[in-house]
Amino acid sequence: ATRALRRIGDTAKRLPAPAPAHLRGGVATAVEDGAYACGIDQFKDKRFGAAHTSLTDFAGAYKSDRRRARAQQVAIAAEIAQLRPAAGNRLPPRGEPGGSRMELVISNDGPDPVEVLYTGPVTGRITIVACGSCKAYPTEAAGRGKACKASGKSYPKKTLRLPAGTYHFLHKPGGRDATALGRAAGGSVKPGYTYTQCSYVVRDDLGAEL
């Protein structure tokens, strides 16, 4: 229906005045509403790739729409859910819960900037700059054992303050020339604890970065 309305809108733009002014507004509003509804329905149907594309396009096209922030929020959850389907079991909450917040410090031991997406009781994204002196690890085991643990070395980091609950995370390269693929994971944040995460890159035997 939204695609059909777009075609009608394109036709209205080509009509001689005063028809365009009379028709364009109503059609444009219907297309805007339909674009948002499509993205939300795609998420509910677990078509996460399509939902991410639809809602990202909506947010880019309709910057003054009051639903733009919600579209961006659901798009984040949809992007994570492409690698971690549990992140798409339900729409992310609209509001933020009250109560205490726990610190999650995320460090980057990788040669590229890293973008971290998260969804749970709250949803968002942050970018951590590249570690200029860091390199990819030869194996997953080497990364787990050594990443972010070099004595006296300072790694780029950012701190999230999260309410308690279950979260899903996606770490993905944030640099324009980065070749690494994203990695998704999940975990619980409990009251009274401080948490850390380390992002690093592993290069496999074929030379591809993971």
Side-chain angles (χ1 to χ4, degrees), residues 154-198:
S154 179
Y155 299 95
K157 64 185 64 178
K158 284 192 175 180
T159 300
L160 295 175
R161 290 174 173 80
L162 302 174
T166 299
Y167 287 86
H168 306 280
F169 297 91
L170 171 62
H171 289 225
K172 67 175 190 174
R176 182 174 299 175
D177 300 323
T179 57
L181 303 174
R183 179 71 64 85
S188 295
V189 171
K190 299 179 181 180
Y193 291 88
T194 297
Y195 296 85
T196 61
Q197 283 186 4
C198 177

Side-chain angles (χ1 to χ4, degrees), residues 60-193:
Y62 303 110
K63 292 183 170 60
S64 61
D65 192 289
R66 58 181 176 79
R67 298 164 295 188
R68 183 173 186 257
R70 178 61 171 167
Q72 292 172 317
Q73 186 184 49
V74 179
I76 289 172
E79 187 170 1
I80 299 170
Q82 290 179 71
L83 290 181
R84 187 172 173 82
N89 284 345
R90 61 185 61 85
L91 287 166
R94 289 179 177 273
E96 296 190 1
S100 61
R101 301 246 171 165
M102 279 54 71
E103 285 192 354
L104 169 61
V105 181
I106 306 175
S107 302
N108 185 16
D109 186 358
D112 300 312
V114 62
E115 189 173 13
V116 181
L117 285 64
Y118 57 95
T119 188
V122 294
T123 299
R125 68 199 313 152
I126 58 170
T127 298
I128 308 173
V129 299
C131 176
S133 60
C134 296
K135 298 180 180 179
Y137 288 91
T139 65
E140 186 76 34
R144 284 197 303 268
K146 298 179 180 179
C148 298
K149 296 177 182 177
S151 178
K153 189 170 184 177
S154 179
Y155 299 95
K157 64 185 64 178
K158 284 192 175 180
T159 300
L160 295 175
R161 290 174 173 80
L162 302 174
T166 299
Y167 287 86
H168 306 280
F169 297 91
L170 171 62
H171 289 225
K172 67 175 190 174
R176 182 174 299 175
D177 300 323
T179 57
L181 303 174
R183 179 71 64 85
S188 295
V189 171
K190 299 179 181 180
Y193 291 88

